Amino acid sequence: MGAFKAYDIRGIFGKDFDLNDVYRMGFFLPGLLNTSKILVGRDVRVSSPDMFQFLCNGITDAGADVYDIGLATTPMVYFGTAQHNFDASVQITASHNPKEYNGLKISRTNALPVGYDSGLAELEKLVKNGSITKAANKGNVIPYDIKEEYINFLKKYVPDLSNMRISMDCSNGMACLLIKELLGQKPLYIFDELDGTFPNHEANPLVMANVQDLITHVLQHRSDVGVIFDGDADRVMFVDEKGQFISPDLMIAVLAHYFLKDKKENVLQDIRTSKAVGEYIEKMGSSMHMWRVGRAYAAVKLREIDGLFGGEYAGHYYFRDFFYSDSGIMACLIALDVFASMKKQGISVSGLIAKISAYVSTGEINFELEQKQQAMDAIRDYFLSQEKVVASYDFDGYRCDFKDWWFNVRPSNTEPYLRFIAEAKDPEKLKQAVEQVKRIIEKIKSQTF
């Protein structure tokens, strides 16, 4: 079974895991997380109803109760977990993956994530080898409607958008469940009907082919901004009025205009984030902290540093006021508030981004190879031998910052890929760095390095 990942359980339904596996996951969860009640939500994927049924069968056979919130965004499950003091919750979703995928996102007390090194590894062993003895007293499935409460929480962040024209792509995903109850008919929506077959495009906004419909819509309707959600609405990304995709890490600096007006706070970024973001936020008087990629690490780290908010290159944004968890819709509302305020000052979305962005980026490049550690070491050692390093980090692959450029090279946790990203003020410097990385990797792959 290859569905257990670093941050969640996810794979092709019927291939990487099946309904019997889901039943066993449910059965062992109450004991793993030491609880007699588990909050459960699900996305709209075709396989989600069957998965819900078998998950519930497992949980209740273990003697625990299921509190069923029905169709939900992933952040709605986080909200219910922390707000209502559950020690365990599950969202049935495969997030941004294609329609044939599904999975489980598991949280514990205070909506803290359960990752591979904080519980999933043990659960995997139990699913594979654990012995099942049904409880004498079977648990119950209890309907538990928190949708209106969650919408009322989000309404606190709904801005005045009377001066804005917004194109919004819901990707036929879970954002469709809530967004119109918050923004009404103000945005110009596309793909705003729930459909777990994702008939228009895959619900992954980091793949540019999936953003093309939004870009076209922004340009055709002369919108001030475009917004696109992923499948379970824990991520959101943006397009400016010129139809240019905004690198999600730069949005951390945009959110700073909402959060850091009159206060100095700790802010969190992942190791792939543009150097421009930290420079921008530090000019506002706050402190930027860097940490590992993924919710399993970010949500914990933000709490540890008591950060006000933070974000990732992949479009996750975390908030102290949301139990240190991520919410795509909350991030959307706050970003739109900033954009609307800037427009009143005569600053367009592209104009604001231009003030933030000071570097040219490669974007994240994937290299396929098995010898990931060898390649990472070789890349790091080469560049350290060429010029003086200003700062270096080794907690998620390697990041090395030099005077006028930086790079991060990190292994995929689940695939035979090495991920490389770099930024520089000089595009030619960036081009040379990428070419050198390609040469190093090719030598290793040919085993002549």
Side-chain angles (χ1 to χ4, degrees):
M1 180 170 50
F4 282 81
K5 311 296 186 186
Y7 318 130
D8 57 22
I9 301 166
R10 194 185 311 178
I12 298 175
F13 178 68
K15 178 183 176 183
D16 295 318
F17 69 101
D18 59 24
L19 290 174
N20 181 59
D21 296 321
V22 175
Y23 171 86
R24 294 177 66 83
M25 293 170 195
F27 184 86
F28 291 112
L29 262 180
L32 180 71
L33 297 179
N34 191 28
T35 184
S36 61
K37 60 178 188 177
I38 298 180
L39 188 73
V40 179
R42 60 188 183 276
D43 72 11
V44 75
R45 290 168 185 268
V46 174
S47 57
S48 290
D50 286 343
M51 284 186 58
F52 172 76
Q53 187 60 57
F54 276 72
L55 182 73
C56 289
N57 290 345
I59 293 171
T60 55
D61 279 353
D65 293 330
V66 171
Y67 286 72
D68 171 22
I69 64 171
L71 288 175
T73 66
T74 295
M76 184 172 158
V77 174
Y78 300 155
F79 174 83
T81 308
Q83 184 71 19
H84 292 274
N85 300 311
F86 282 88
D87 291 320
S89 67
V90 180
Q91 168 73 337
I92 298 170
T93 184
S95 185
H96 59 279
N97 287 118
K99 61 184 178 181
E100 62 269 22
Y101 284 72
N102 215 328
L104 307 178
K105 289 186 177 180
I106 301 172
S107 301
R108 52 189 172 92
T109 309
N110 295 320
L112 284 166
V114 177
Y116 197 77
D117 55 3
S118 58
L120 290 187
E122 186 177 348
L123 181 61
E124 183 179 28
K125 292 176 184 176
L126 290 167
V127 170
K128 288 180 177 178
N129 303 310
S131 176
I132 289 180
T133 302
K134 294 181 181 181
N137 296 313
K138 186 179 176 72
N140 299 300
V141 178
I142 303 165
Y144 200 68
D145 187 1
I146 64 167
K147 181 180 175 183
E148 185 176 351
E149 182 186 13
Y150 183 49
I151 287 172
N152 286 335
F153 168 82
L154 290 172
K155 281 181 177 177
K156 296 183 295 184
Y157 299 96
V158 175
D160 175 12
L161 299 175
S162 56
N163 67 331
M164 295 288 287
R165 182 184 291 269
I166 304 160
S167 293
M168 184 166 289
D169 184 348
C170 297
S171 301
N172 295 113
M174 297 315 299
C176 303
L177 184 71
L178 304 174
I179 197 67
K180 290 183 182 179
E181 295 197 43
L182 295 164
L183 296 179
Q185 294 303 317
K186 176 60 184 175
L188 304 172
Y189 296 101
I190 58 174
F191 313 142
D192 55 343
E193 298 293 332
L194 284 168
D195 190 333
T197 68
F198 306 111
N200 296 290
H201 61 70
E202 290 181 1
N204 184 357
L206 273 181
V207 175
M208 285 303 99
N210 300 330
V211 190
Q212 289 308 308
D213 290 310
L214 177 63
I215 290 171
T216 299
H217 194 275
V218 166
L219 296 175
Q220 285 181 346
H221 293 269
R222 298 183 179 178
S223 295
D224 297 299
V225 66
V227 182
I228 183 168
F229 294 97
D230 74 342
D232 63 337
D234 64 351
R235 293 191 298 155
V236 65
M237 298 177 203
F238 300 86
V239 170
D240 71 20
E241 80 283 357
K242 297 178 181 178
Q244 296 297 309
F245 181 76
I246 300 170
S247 184
D249 53 336
L250 301 180
M251 291 299 302
I252 303 171
V254 171
L255 298 177
H257 283 276
Y258 179 92
F259 286 107
L260 304 179
K261 294 174 184 175
D262 304 307
K263 55 180 71 175
K264 296 180 180 180
E265 294 276 358
N266 291 326
V267 181
L268 186 68
Q269 67 178 39
D270 77 16
I271 199 168
R272 303 166 296 179
T273 300
S274 172
K275 192 174 182 180
V277 174
E279 293 171 347
Y280 194 84
I281 283 175
E282 285 165 3
K283 286 178 183 177
M284 299 175 80
S286 288
S287 300
M288 180 61 83
H289 297 255
M290 191 182 300
W291 194 231
R292 299 180 66 176
V293 173
R295 180 176 185 270
Y297 307 109
V300 175
K301 190 67 173 181
L302 189 67
R303 182 181 292 270
E304 179 184 312
I305 66 171
D306 193 27
L308 182 56
F309 74 102
E312 293 190 69
Y313 180 81
H316 291 274
Y317 304 100
Y318 304 83
F319 307 99
R320 179 196 292 161
D321 292 340
F322 190 60
F323 314 105
Y324 300 92
S325 291
D326 47 327
S327 168
I329 290 179
M330 184 172 167
C332 166
L333 297 175
I334 292 169
L336 291 177
D337 185 292
V338 173
F339 291 144
S341 175
M342 289 292 169
K343 187 177 180 182
K344 291 176 182 176
Q345 302 172 45
I347 301 171
S348 65
V349 172
S350 65
L352 176 58
I353 298 303
K355 291 177 182 290
I356 298 167
S357 180
Y359 298 87
V360 181
S361 174
T362 61
E364 197 164 52
I365 303 170
N366 290 324
F367 296 98
E368 186 172 0
L369 80 165
E370 297 291 346
Q371 310 96 315
K372 290 184 280 189
Q373 188 63 51
Q374 182 185 354
M376 285 167 49
D377 291 345
I379 291 166
R380 177 200 59 184
D381 294 347
Y382 173 81
F383 287 114
L384 288 180
S385 72
Q386 297 300 303
E387 55 188 300
K388 185 177 179 181
V389 68
V390 174
S392 62
Y393 311 87
D394 64 358
F395 48 72
D396 199 350
Y398 302 127
R399 173 165 170 156
C400 297
D401 286 32
F402 303 97
K403 182 180 178 182
D404 58 356
W405 78 288
W406 66 269
F407 75 85
N408 167 236
V409 59
R410 52 185 289 271
S412 166
N413 287 301
T414 58
E415 300 171 296
Y417 289 119
L418 197 64
R419 308 196 194 283
F420 178 83
I421 186 171
E423 275 191 332
K425 292 190 174 180
D426 178 7
E428 185 59 32
K429 177 83 172 181
L430 206 59
K431 181 181 177 181
Q432 292 173 3
V434 172
E435 290 303 316
Q436 182 59 45
V437 169
K438 288 179 179 177
R439 285 193 288 270
I440 292 171
I441 289 175
E442 287 306 313
K443 287 180 180 179
I444 290 175
K445 288 174 73 173
S446 65
Q447 298 182 335
T448 60
F449 182 79

